Amino acid sequence: MQDLLNLFVRSIFVENMVFAFFLGMCSYLAVSKTVNTAMGLGIAVTFVLVITIPVDWALNEYVLKKGALDWLLGEQAADVDLSFLSFIMFIAVIASMVQLVEMIVEKFAPALYSQLGIFLPLIAVNCAILGGSLFMQERELASIGEATVYGLGSGIGWLLAIIGIAAIREKIRYSDIPAPLKGLGITFIATGIMGIAFMTFMGIKL
Amino acid sequence: MSKNSKLLTGPLNLNNPITVQVLGICSALAVTVKLEPAIVMAISVTAVLALANVIVSLLRNTIPSRIRIIVQLVIVAALVILVDQVLKAYLYDVSKQLSVFVGLIITNCIIMGRLEAFALGNKPYASFLDGIGNGAGYAVILIIISTVRELFGSGTLTLPGFGELRVIPQGFYDFGYQNNGLMILPPMALIVVGIIIWVQRSKTRELIEKV
């Protein structure tokens, strides 16, 4: 239980997707003009991460990694290592999950669906999602529970980051910034400074 | 200037994928602590981009537009697997340093962006040039960021084939010069990109955003 809590806090603050690994920067920069849309995208990303990371974990554990096919084929499969296929399998899972999530949300929560609109299908090419799955594989998380918690934590971390920068950008519009820095330039520098602030969590040993 | 050479040189400055089109930021920032992985990453992205552009451009009349994203993802993923296996075989150390970021070339927005914006509507040869040009534009920015970060952060430059070269002479350190440890940390990459954008837009005024 305590392990899970540690993993959760660590994936939100210490190993924040945006500030520590720069994942999902493209949509982070493109969709952070207002807090409302940023919030919608952040929730959608969290949702997809919570679903895809456990699914990819199971795929990795029972199909891809070395000796994973033992449960199906017995001893003769002990040397089979399919992990070179993981990129294509993970991206297929993500693309189909995003499609599935889109259909479910459209059917059962039409209000949320119209709010998220175009952002939902775009999540398939958000690198935070594939990055989450690849980090899950690299760190060899022990159970499906850990994978779910890791997905939830990284999603919330991403949500925090995008809401933070959207709020800053709403305010910064009225500031007197040198013309060549306006827009993109100052957003990068503000993100850098937010990143330095987030680094204070690095010292926390969990 | 002919149309083809514009495809090659445009992305270097006026239409740069990172500072103007805002594509492919994630990997550009994460692999730039040292020069060598940045160069390897730039070459890998250029190779994947050029090949994917050609393949998608050849298939552009047969891909149904409803499922084109999945088709493109599969093509790119297959190419990235090839690149990953080549790196693991010949440049194992660099491949370890790049870790998940080789896999993340699949979702690198430069690739999806150029496939959607260019390869789906143009002939294979033009698409190939567009891929090479955008790859080069990406490479220029990566090399600038990683040179600044490595030079000031660790006082060295790591070139593929030459190993780590000590650039700041020992004498400087004897006088009390210190490496700027902040440069190695992730947030500085963002600030360096911010400054590059600032310099570029001061030189080419037409890029300034009207907010």
Side-chain angles (χ1 to χ4, degrees), chain A residues 31-152:
Chain A
V31 192
S32 60
K33 291 211 172 88
T34 60
V35 174
N36 273 340
T37 47
M39 181 93 139
L41 184 72
I43 291 171
V45 165
T46 313
F47 195 55
V48 175
L49 269 172
V50 171
I51 295 174
T52 54
I53 292 192
V55 173
D56 282 343
W57 182 87
L59 193 67
N60 186 45
E61 190 72 14
Y62 296 114
V63 182
L64 294 173
K65 93 181 181 192
K66 192 170 181 207
L69 285 169
D70 280 3
W71 61 275
L72 189 64
L73 302 169
E75 279 304 302
Q76 52 177 340
D79 288 332
V80 178
D81 183 2
L82 293 177
S83 53
F84 69 94
L85 283 178
S86 43
F87 297 156
I88 215 162
M89 297 295 270
F90 286 174
I91 199 72
V93 167
I94 290 167
S96 45
M97 280 297 153
V98 168
Q99 198 85 60
L100 200 68
V101 166
E102 198 185 343
M103 289 193 294
I104 293 173
V105 173
E106 190 179 7
K107 175 95 175 128
F108 294 106
L112 182 67
Y113 181 76
S114 59
Q115 245 173 28
L116 292 178
I118 47 164
F119 302 130
L120 261 180
L122 282 182
I123 292 176
V125 286
N126 184 329
C127 30
I129 313 278
L130 183 62
S133 287
L134 292 175
F135 276 125
M136 172 278 297
Q137 187 190 33
E138 199 182 66
R139 288 183 196 155
E140 296 167 348
L141 297 182
S143 68
I144 200 154
E146 275 191 15
T148 317
V149 167
Y150 179 68
L152 183 64

Side-chain angles (χ1 to χ4, degrees), chain B residues 192-211:
Chain B
V192 172
V193 177
I195 293 168
I196 293 175
I197 292 174
W198 191 0
V199 171
Q200 192 196 13
R201 291 191 180 177
S202 319
K203 287 199 174 257
T204 30
R205 308 293 295 189
E206 64 263 38
L207 291 177
I208 293 174
E209 285 171 47
K210 290 160 202 74
V211 183

Side-chain angles (χ1 to χ4, degrees), chain A residues 159-183:
Chain A
L159 176 72
L160 265 182
I162 195 170
I163 290 180
I165 195 71
I168 291 177
R169 283 180 84 168
E170 277 191 2
K171 290 272 176 213
I172 227 170
R173 205 166 300 149
Y174 308 104
S175 316
D176 185 22
I177 303 163
L181 254 183
K182 265 193 184 139

Side-chain angles (χ1 to χ4, degrees), chain A residues 19 21-26 29 84 87-88 125 127 130-131 134-135 138 179-181 183-184 188 191-192 195-196 199, chain B residues 19 22 24-26 29-30 77 81 84-85 99-101 103-104 106-107 109 185-187 190 197-198 201-202 208-209:
Chain A
F19 299 124
F21 301 112
F22 311 114
L23 293 176
M25 282 304 269
C26 305
L29 292 169
F84 69 94
F87 297 156
I88 215 162
V125 286
C127 30
L130 183 62
L134 292 175
F135 276 125
E138 199 182 66
L181 254 183
L184 193 58
F188 267 106
T191 312
I196 293 177
M199 291 196 71
Chain B
T19 58
V22 207
I25 314 281
C26 328
L29 299 175
I81 290 178
D84 184 46
Q85 298 290 320
S99 75
V100 299
F101 288 97
L104 287 177
I106 299 172
T107 47
C109 345
L185 299 176
L190 289 158
I197 292 174
W198 191 0
R201 291 191 180 177
S202 319
I208 293 174
E209 285 171 47

Side-chain angles (χ1 to χ4, degrees), chain B residues 32 35 38-39 42 138-149:
Chain B
T32 49
L35 193 53
I39 294 175
Y138 175 79
V140 168
I141 301 292
L142 244 69
I143 288 170
I144 296 176
I145 305 172
S146 58
T147 309
V148 171
R149 285 183 76 189

